[in-house]
Amino acid sequence: MSAPGRLGDLLGIDHPIVQGPFGGGLSSVALTAAVSEGGGLGSYGAHILTPDAITALVTELKAATSRPFAVNLWVPLEGERSALPDHAVFTAHAERLRPYYEELGAAAPAYEDVEALPDFDDQVDALLAAAPPVISFVMGVPPRRVVDEARRRGIALIGTATTVDEAVVLDEAGLDAIVASGSDAGGHRGAFLAPVRESLVGTFSLVPQIADAVAAPVIAAGGIADGRGIRAALALGADAVQIGTAFLTTRESGASGAHKRQLGTPAARTTVLTRLFSGRTARGIPNRFVRDMAAYEDAVPPYPVQNALMQPIRRAAAAQGRPEYVNLWAGQSAALAGDGLGAGEYLARLVRELPRQDAPFGSPRAR
């Protein structure tokens, strides 16, 4: 069995394995706790939660596990929280989706009912006050005051980089560990220094470059689903790995049955980047909706407007077991996932496949 390495020393975990945080209801307390109890780092995506809900979440997680866990937030991109488009533009976007609302028996959201995103500053203040063992971020660099307050409270911070330049910025900002999120990864892309199209570096090209460029421990993410991927990532300089898609298939995950049934199948061999479900670029399995609406990739409104317009469609499709209209977030190794194991069972399998304890791994700076 492999030793936990620098990340284990930093976070107090037994194995160099992090469960990827999922937003939009895909996370669950049961999943996070199961991974943490098994000696990995369980994570929960909280970017859509209000401050009060974040406080309650951390209380629930602390009751579910005595081991370290992470809560994840999105750093807002500039302009993303600006006002809604005017009523006429919003209505035109909704009309484009009307056939799908009607087919699924879902009601289009009214202009007046589209809610603003929770305020990031309020979210992070609530999270700092609740003091989870670890806070992780995607989409940017947390403010200096957050880094200072986390250090004062003994909270470890993890940032996420899609390029070497982003990793260097996070390292200079004082974050404790950095996720090297390759373009293989499922779900939303977190590029924040350059457009997504200029920030699509594959995991096994990105990891060694980031490991050479930063002092913080590096966590490889994207396209890793089994021991082969873990061993490759560690050999390339990662101190640990983050696995997302394969944990979505576990019994504790909040993914819908329609979503889970697509993972681990031949359909999951192909993934695409799309803005159609949320207005932000994300990787998922192409389905009928993605193919039918491909011509509108650049026309849909940005997040969170498109996300709000699609929410009734996604929810109705999931409830009806219709994967052709569900956002099937998945990384490029999604076809390797999907045994329907419990999260603890899957983690134990990964641990058995780790390199032996005397095998060197991690970034050259750590050796």
Side-chain angles (χ1 to χ4, degrees):
M1 183 185 300
S2 172
R6 285 202 297 168
L7 197 71
D9 294 339
L10 172 69
L11 303 181
I13 58 177
D14 299 331
H15 311 299
I17 299 172
V18 178
Q19 169 242 317
F22 310 121
L26 300 181
S27 288
S28 76
V29 170
L31 172 59
T32 305
V35 175
S36 292
E37 286 292 298
L41 183 70
S43 306
Y44 194 108
H47 75 276
I48 63 172
L49 299 184
T50 64
D52 286 346
I54 287 173
T55 301
L57 168 67
V58 175
T59 299
E60 190 175 357
L61 285 167
K62 287 181 176 179
T65 179
S66 60
R67 304 299 304 274
F69 61 85
V71 178
N72 179 269
L73 289 179
W74 290 11
V75 178
L77 296 178
E78 185 176 355
E80 192 170 70
R81 293 166 185 267
S82 58
L84 290 171
D86 65 43
H87 197 287
V89 172
F90 179 86
T91 300
H93 288 307
E95 281 299 313
R96 184 189 301 128
L97 297 171
R98 185 158 301 283
Y100 300 101
Y101 295 132
E102 292 176 351
E103 181 176 345
L104 292 164
Y111 181 80
E112 296 77 13
D113 293 336
V114 176
E115 298 178 359
L117 292 168
D119 182 79
F120 172 78
D121 288 326
D122 292 342
Q123 287 180 313
V124 79
D125 286 345
L127 194 50
L128 288 167
V134 183
I135 300 174
S136 64
F137 295 95
V138 292
M139 315 292 183
V141 184
R144 179 76 248 172
R145 69 172 187 87
V146 173
V147 177
D148 292 342
E149 183 63 13
R151 186 158 290 126
R152 189 182 75 81
R153 292 175 177 266
I155 302 170
L157 297 182
I158 299 175
T160 304
T162 67
T163 65
V164 178
D165 289 344
E166 290 177 356
V168 170
V169 168
L170 291 166
D171 199 39
E172 291 175 345
L175 276 79
D176 298 295
I178 297 170
V179 175
S181 179
S183 58
D184 316 41
H188 287 91
R189 301 304 304 148
F192 60 90
L193 288 184
V196 171
R197 67 180 179 275
E198 298 176 18
S199 307
L200 297 173
V201 186
T203 302
F204 293 118
S205 294
L206 185 64
V207 168
Q209 294 182 72
I210 289 182
D212 286 350
V214 303
V218 175
I219 304 166
I224 301 169
D226 58 21
R228 293 170 294 182
I230 296 174
R231 291 192 296 271
L234 298 180
L236 288 170
D239 297 276
V241 300
Q242 178 171 287
I243 296 176
T245 304
F247 275 111
L248 275 181
T249 70
T250 63
R251 292 193 295 270
E252 294 90 343
S253 137
S256 67
H259 190 170
K260 289 182 179 181
R261 285 190 291 274
Q262 298 298 303
L263 301 172
T265 72
R269 294 172 184 164
T270 300
T271 61
V272 296
L273 294 170
T274 180
R275 295 181 60 247
L276 293 171
F277 285 103
S278 72
R280 295 198 68 164
T281 303
R283 182 175 295 284
I285 300 168
N287 53 13
R288 176 182 167 185
F289 182 80
V290 170
R291 293 185 174 105
D292 287 352
M293 296 290 288
Y296 299 101
E297 280 284 353
D298 295 329
V300 299
Y303 181 87
V305 178
Q306 180 69 4
N307 191 62
L309 288 166
M310 286 298 300
Q311 191 174 72
I313 293 171
R314 296 195 309 263
R315 287 181 174 174
Q320 296 171 30
R322 301 184 63 177
E324 64 266 34
Y325 300 129
V326 175
N327 49 311
L328 303 171
W329 299 148
Q332 289 188 315
S333 289
L336 297 175
D339 287 341
L341 297 174
E345 296 174 284
Y346 173 59
L347 178 63
R349 175 193 288 178
L350 295 175
V351 170
R352 290 194 297 270
E353 297 175 352
L354 288 172
R356 67 184 188 277
Q357 189 163 349
D358 61 348
F361 69 89
S363 62
R365 293 181 182 221
R367 295 180 190 164

